[in-house]
Amino acid sequence: MPADDKLDQRPDLISRDDQFLCRLNEVIEANIGDELFGVSDLAGAMALSRVHLYRKIHRLTGKNISQFIRERRLQYARELLLKDVATVAEIAYRAGFTSPAYFSKCFHEYYGYPPGEVKKRNGPADREIPSLEEPPAFPG
């Protein structure tokens, strides 16, 4: 086996792009409830210009910065909805949306159904759902 193949198989080696995306998600998750957290704040936290951050996120994900932040907020909100910890409106605010109506609109566009139907479409929430604070456990 060539030496390069051995490097590709080591789980402790993470590409710079993956490291960047992990750091990006960490920064967003740390500010998820702040409705004023936006592109400039994220660029500052990542020590990049807005233009450089846009180019890098777009190259890696095909999304613009605002869309990336919004989708991460929606994913967080869905986790909370599955856990049934609060009302849809309360979860909208916890996820950093300033309006429950706008949250519902974005949620429906992203997932294809309204936030009130999360429990119906995904069954009981007695299964383990990873939190933002804890990294996922890897088997092994």
Side-chain angles (χ1 to χ4, degrees), residues 20 47-58 65:
F20 172 80
L48 297 170
S49 71
R50 289 171 53 127
V51 172
H52 188 80
L53 181 64
Y54 170 81
R55 287 180 182 153
K56 192 156 188 156
I57 290 175
H58 192 266
I65 304 168

Side-chain angles (χ1 to χ4, degrees), residues 1-2 5 10-11 19 22 24 29-30 33 37 43 65 67 72-73 77 81 85 94-95 103 108-109 111 123 139:
M1 180 183 301
D5 289 343
R10 289 193 45 202
Q19 289 175 8
C22 285
L24 188 69
E29 289 166 6
F37 182 78
I65 304 168
Q67 182 181 11
R72 185 61 198 108
R73 290 182 190 275
L81 289 164
V85 297
R94 285 187 192 182
F103 164 73
H108 192 276
E109 287 174 1
Y111 287 107

Side-chain angles (χ1 to χ4, degrees), residues 70-133:
R70 183 174 47 253
E71 287 179 6
R72 185 61 198 108
R73 290 182 190 275
L74 291 168
Q75 293 161 2
Y76 173 70
R78 185 174 176 275
E79 290 174 12
L80 294 179
L81 289 164
L82 281 168
K83 291 179 182 180
D84 199 24
V85 297
T87 66
V88 171
E90 290 168 337
I91 288 172
Y93 292 121
R94 285 187 192 182
F97 286 87
T98 56
S99 160
Y102 178 65
F103 164 73
S104 292
K105 174 187 175 288
C106 291
F107 191 96
H108 192 276
E109 287 174 1
Y110 186 66
Y111 287 107
Y113 54 89
E117 290 186 17
V118 167
K119 299 285 278 184
K120 291 180 210 170
R121 291 182 178 255
N122 294 286
D126 55 355
R127 65 183 193 272
E128 185 67 26
I129 300 170
S131 70
L132 289 176
E133 292 81 33

